[in-house]
Amino acid sequence: NRQEVQKNTIMNIARFYNTTGVSYREGFISGSDIKKAFVEYLPSFPCHIQPQDASLNEGIPATFGKSWILFCPVLDFKQGDKVVVNTIEYKVAGCETFTMGSSPHCEVVLRAWKE
C-alpha cells in the first residue's frame, strides 16, 4: 500500500530527542505586585539541542555569543523564558511551532543565559 510506505518513510523528529529540558517562567512572588522570580513552568520535556550556527553572533548590542536551537514537542514557550538542558541555562529568544505534517514540533531559538 503506497500510503503505508509513505507513512513509514516520513522521518519523525521525535526520534532525535536525546535529552530532557526544564523551562522556567518569570512570575510575581506571592504577596508582591512588583517582585518577580523564575518558577518551574514545564517540568521535564524531551528535546534535542544543537548550535544554530558554528560562529558567534551578536546578541544584545555589544555582546556576542552562540545561538542554539532546541527541537521539542509542541509546548508553550515565551520570549524571555529560561530553559535548562544538561545543567546549562539558556534564554528563549524566539519560538516557532510547526503543526503541519506528520511531525508537529517547536523550534526554539536559545541564547546562553549569561553571555
Side-chain angles (χ1 to χ4, degrees):
N1 179 338
R2 184 180 169 119
Q3 275 186 325
E4 187 78 25
V5 170
Q6 283 180 329
K7 185 178 178 184
N8 290 334
T9 58
I10 294 174
M11 189 175 298
N12 187 338
I13 196 165
R15 292 180 2 183
F16 296 101
Y17 299 160
N18 58 357
T19 192
T20 57
V22 177
S23 84
Y24 297 84
R25 185 161 287 168
E26 200 170 26
F28 288 104
I29 295 174
S30 181
S32 173
D33 292 337
I34 54 170
K35 291 185 178 179
K36 290 185 173 187
F38 280 95
V39 295
E40 191 173 282
Y41 185 70
L42 299 171
S44 179
F45 57 89
C47 61
H48 173 78
I49 187 168
Q50 64 187 43
Q52 190 174 29
D53 193 337
S55 60
L56 296 175
N57 51 44
E58 188 172 3
I60 331 174
T63 66
F64 290 86
K66 268 196 172 182
S67 291
W68 301 81
I69 188 155
L70 178 122
F71 299 89
C72 65
V74 175
L75 298 169
D76 178 28
F77 289 97
K78 283 177 34 178
Q79 188 173 354
D81 284 353
K82 180 167 64 170
V83 174
V84 178
V85 179
N86 299 326
T87 70
I88 300 172
E89 295 181 3
Y90 302 92
K91 181 180 265 188
V92 173
C95 178
E96 193 163 355
T97 301
F98 298 90
T99 56
M100 302 296 280
S102 66
S103 192
H105 66 282
C106 285
E107 294 182 12
V108 185
V109 177
L110 304 172
R111 296 284 292 186
W113 185 256
K114 296 176 181 172
E115 296 180 296

